[in-house]
Amino acid sequence: MSVICTPAEKAEAGESEIGSVPLTDSINELLARLNSATGGAMGGALRFVGSAVGVILTPFGWLITASGSLAFVLAYVLEVAFIPAQPIARWLGGAVDPMVMAVAGMLLLLRLVMLRWVSRGADQLMRMRALAPQIKLLQRLHAGDRPRLEAEMQQLQARADVNPLAGCLPILVTIVAIASAWRLLRGLTVRSEEGTFDPEFLHDGTRLARHLGSTGELETLSMSMTATVFDVGWCASLLPYLLMLVALLATTRLSLRQVWRKQPAMARFFLMVTFLFTIFLPCLVILLRIFDQLLVSAQNSYLDRRRERYAAILAQDPAIHGWDDDDDERPGGPGSPRSGEPGR
């Protein structure tokens, strides 16, 4: 990084202040600085690293390009969220840009919509775990008959209303939502000939479009939201950006509290990867990550309480434990399946 703070160059007219694919622009800039600092001695190795990063992230770039249609939907939600964000931003004395507040509101709404899918995925995971004893028993009974084992497994899962792929849906929805949101943020930060923003996906008559069309910088808490930490330089102005990164690590640690208790090594690794991944992103994305980690912590608390209630329901589910509704005795009694025999 430079010794003194120098303002980052603005994107040219028609280009976005946010890179085309997350990480690539910032990483390439960092590699270029490292190459310059070493006098070009590591040029070949650094070019190889830059090319490898580009190849790895190319599929995500395709997904971002293909998510333009969904970005229009998110833009409409953002326009609605911007209406109450404006008076709140004025009440805060302009410390927070109303667009940043509107994007945070959109993120909150997306988390609330996805909560239903996440909850259903968590329920399916608990049902799969509860079926583990019966699955292991079937594997022992039909160890040499693969077709019979698969048929019995399908019948067991159908009877217990278990879909092994249900847990994948929240992950897929999250990936598509991230790609669409990135496409939207890129479109909102396109530069005009006058140096202000010429946003895509927005109707010209909306408040958000007028706001972006009249400003040349998105600033929140004395930070440029379109800049990365590496754009700032090593000086006093870097302090709020460093504090923001510390807040990101703290909120990520909070959201990983369960993993930290059970698998601290994995939690530390995930924390390190999160930091290394996020430090190259624009500050707007980092702030959204902090807010999202707080939402994830609240979501995890809700899911913990839901798991406790659902565990009691599963304990009385005959399809899970292999006994019939009219059995006089539950597991362990005369009506339950005997050891070594699958449930009826």
Side-chain angles (χ1 to χ4, degrees), residues 41 142 171 239 264 284 295 314:
H142 307 295
I171 299 176
L239 180 60
L284 174 58
L295 296 179
L314 290 179

Side-chain angles (χ1 to χ4, degrees), residues 71-286:
F72 277 104
V73 178
L74 294 181
Y76 180 77
V77 177
L78 188 61
E79 289 175 346
V80 175
F82 186 78
I83 297 175
Q86 272 191 309
I88 297 176
R90 286 195 296 267
W91 180 74
L92 294 175
V96 180
D97 190 280
M99 175 191 155
V100 176
M101 192 171 298
V103 174
M106 182 183 70
L107 177 59
L108 173 61
L109 180 60
L110 289 176
R111 277 292 178 186
L112 291 175
V113 171
M114 291 176 59
L115 183 59
R116 175 177 175 83
W117 290 324
V118 173
S119 300
R120 288 179 63 87
D123 293 347
Q124 285 289 311
L125 181 59
M126 290 187 66
R127 296 184 76 87
M128 283 293 296
R129 290 176 177 174
L131 281 179
Q134 293 199 64
I135 292 176
K136 290 180 179 179
L137 181 57
L138 289 175
Q139 289 173 342
R140 290 198 303 268
L141 292 175
H142 307 295
D145 190 350
R146 186 71 180 181
R148 175 72 181 278
L149 174 60
E150 292 180 355
E152 292 287 346
M153 291 275 288
Q154 291 177 359
Q155 291 179 9
L156 176 62
Q157 293 171 357
R159 187 171 66 249
D161 191 23
V162 169
N163 182 3
L165 300 179
C168 299
L169 181 59
I171 299 176
L172 295 176
V173 172
T174 300
I175 293 175
V176 174
I178 291 175
S180 303
W182 187 270
R183 181 70 183 89
L184 174 62
L185 293 179
R186 283 192 59 229
L188 297 180
T189 54
V190 173
R191 285 290 178 186
S192 66
E193 293 286 350
E194 294 76 19
T196 59
F197 293 108
D198 184 19
E200 300 176 357
F201 305 113
L202 299 179
H203 189 270
D204 292 339
T206 62
R207 295 185 180 182
L208 179 55
R210 292 196 297 269
H211 171 73
L212 291 174
S214 62
T215 184
E217 189 62 76
L218 297 175
E219 291 189 351
T220 293
L221 302 177
S222 302
M223 295 181 292
S224 171
M225 292 291 96
T226 58
T228 67
V229 174
F230 297 100
D231 292 331
V232 181
W234 186 259
C235 65
S237 298
L238 186 62
L239 180 60
Y241 296 85
L242 295 179
L243 293 177
M244 176 182 61
L245 292 175
V246 171
L248 172 66
L249 294 177
T251 52
T252 303
R253 169 66 175 83
L254 178 64
S255 66
L256 292 173
R257 60 183 182 276
Q258 292 183 347
V259 181
W260 202 279
R261 289 196 298 265
K262 299 178 181 179
Q263 297 176 310
M266 180 179 295
R268 293 190 188 96
F269 174 77
F270 185 81
L271 194 65
M272 179 185 66
V273 170
T274 299
F275 176 77
L276 293 177
F277 177 84
T278 311
I279 194 174
F280 295 102
L281 297 175
C283 293
L284 174 58
V285 180
I286 299 179

Side-chain angles (χ1 to χ4, degrees), residues 7 267 336:
S336 63

